[in-house]
Amino acid sequence: MKEFAGKTAVITGGGTGMGRELARQLVAEGCNVAMCDVSEAAMAETKRLCEVEKLPQGLRVTTHVADVSIEDHLKRFRDELVEQQKTDKIHLLFNNAGIGGGGSLFTNTREQWERTFNICWGGVYLGVRTFLPMLVKADEAHIVNTASVNGFWASIGMGQAHTAYSSAKFAVKGFTEALINDLRLHAPHVKCSVVMPGHIGTSIVSNSRKVQSGDGSERLNPDEVVLTRKRMVAAGVPDADKMSDDDIQAVFAERARSFLEDAPTTAAQAARIILDGVKAERWRILVGNDAKRLDERVRAAPEQAYDRAFYESFAQEVGWRLG
């Protein structure tokens, strides 16, 4: 697929981050976009940004509220798309929605763990299941599944468990690789790619907290404050046990800000890399220099990948301040 003009794209998680930037750049190239998200307000802002420059005549940008972990939501999204986009086929499917959280089998609840896994993995699986017939109807099509560097390295550093997200992203990577041959055998005009970003400047930290808690607040609840303090103590943060609740809230707010604003790769840059990868029909798209370096290091020394020295030297090399 060398150009996107006149095509129709589905984007999950289109309200913020890479989903928003994918929508903006696709629209700029003349592609119709149907996006879903759990936040109607966030999608409205994405749509407004897409429309800042006058849309080409007849181009459609539609928004649909859906939780990608719930199959009935995705089916409703599909049915709304058929009606509002006036089409029975799509050309691009970006399974982009994801959240963090539920990192530990010990300190997080089962509900938190499974919430993360069901969105990050289940949303990809159900997205493909739901929209595959519409992709097959197109003359050419491409599935783009967002995994992560955590799809080949199941850690975010030595001070924090990261099991739910990493497990989900490993599943996304394996599923997409298995799709390559499945599609060649049964729908050779449909291609697929697995996207593995490093640290990208998005609002995933604050958004994940909102989705996990269900309260839509930017602030931690009392239980989250307690858990965050315990994690900081375990990680060896000086005087973490003496910090006030307000101090802990400030630490979380700063982490969310830093993840968004201090990342080595912006969401807009990430979207451009992804779209260029689709045009080049690359099935494996690493996003960011940190992702490329981590991939090289894990392949070179897989048995050392979870040693403290491995992480510390990598973090120093690429400037990571995670975990």
Side-chain angles (χ1 to χ4, degrees):
M1 190 177 299
K2 301 304 181 185
E3 60 179 36
F4 304 131
K7 304 291 197 300
T8 299
V10 165
I11 304 172
T12 69
T16 58
M18 292 193 301
R20 171 176 288 176
E21 295 303 327
L22 284 167
R24 294 180 68 182
Q25 293 182 30
L26 284 165
V27 167
E29 293 194 37
C31 185
N32 299 293
V33 168
M35 74 187 85
C36 78
D37 202 285
V38 293
S39 172
E40 189 169 9
M43 284 191 293
E45 176 61 11
T46 299
K47 184 174 182 179
R48 185 192 70 80
L49 291 169
C50 288
E51 294 173 344
V52 167
E53 299 293 336
K54 188 176 180 181
L55 297 179
Q57 187 174 5
L59 197 69
R60 298 183 178 93
V61 179
T62 57
T63 62
H64 311 264
V65 176
D67 180 332
V68 296
S69 68
I70 301 173
E71 188 169 11
D72 284 347
H73 283 205
L74 285 172
K75 288 180 177 178
R76 184 184 66 210
F77 173 23
R78 177 200 60 202
D79 294 344
E80 291 174 355
L81 181 159
V82 169
E83 180 182 357
Q84 296 178 29
Q85 294 276 349
K86 303 185 188 307
T87 184
D88 63 349
K89 57 181 170 287
I90 64 171
H91 304 85
L92 293 154
L93 171 62
F94 294 88
N95 285 308
N96 164 80
I99 64 167
S104 174
L105 289 171
F106 297 89
T107 60
N108 291 107
T109 65
R110 178 169 179 167
E111 290 73 21
Q112 289 173 324
W113 203 100
E114 292 184 356
R115 184 79 175 122
T116 298
F117 188 82
N118 290 341
I119 289 174
C120 291
W121 155 243
V124 171
Y125 169 69
L126 293 174
V128 172
R129 279 285 190 193
T130 302
F131 289 102
L132 187 59
M134 297 185 72
L135 290 159
V136 171
K137 285 183 179 180
D139 55 351
E140 59 175 348
H142 205 116
I143 299 167
V144 185
N145 295 331
T146 300
S148 166
V149 292
N150 291 129
F152 59 77
W153 183 68
S155 178
I156 197 172
M158 302 302 102
Q160 183 175 335
H162 205 50
T163 61
Y165 188 84
S166 295
S167 299
K169 295 305 186 179
F170 264 80
V172 171
K173 179 175 180 287
F175 174 63
T176 310
E177 291 192 24
L179 269 180
I180 294 171
N181 201 50
D182 203 356
L183 291 169
R184 283 175 180 168
L185 291 170
H186 301 106
H189 63 297
V190 181
K191 311 300 181 184
C192 66
S193 299
V194 58
V195 173
M196 293 175 284
H199 179 191
I200 309 300
T202 72
S203 300
I204 191 172
V205 173
S206 56
N207 286 346
S208 297
R209 195 264 147 205
K210 292 176 185 178
V211 172
Q212 289 282 10
S213 66
D215 62 13
S217 173
E218 298 280 356
R219 292 176 61 81
L220 301 173
N221 63 38
D223 290 341
E224 291 168 331
V225 170
V226 171
L227 181 57
T228 300
R229 184 182 284 109
K230 287 181 179 178
R231 285 175 177 165
M232 292 171 64
V233 171
V237 177
D239 297 324
D241 57 333
K242 300 176 183 177
M243 288 184 177
S244 68
D245 288 0
D246 284 344
D247 290 337
I248 299 297
Q249 293 281 5
V251 168
F252 175 77
E254 171 57 21
R255 178 169 174 258
R257 182 211 64 78
S258 179
F259 196 95
L260 172 63
E261 298 178 11
D262 299 337
T265 306
T266 67
Q269 290 169 333
R272 186 71 269 154
I273 292 168
I274 293 167
L275 294 178
D276 287 346
V278 171
K279 288 180 177 179
E281 290 193 0
R282 294 205 306 271
W283 70 262
R284 191 173 190 271
I285 304 173
L286 292 166
V287 182
N289 183 61
D290 54 345
K292 294 175 182 177
R293 291 296 298 122
L294 184 57
D295 179 54
E296 291 168 0
R297 279 174 168 255
V298 171
R299 288 172 178 274
E303 292 293 334
Q304 285 77 52
Y306 300 107
D307 294 346
R308 181 174 293 276
F310 178 98
Y311 171 73
E312 290 178 350
S313 64
F314 169 72
Q316 183 176 17
E317 177 187 353
V318 301
W320 267 24
R321 291 186 291 169
L322 310 175

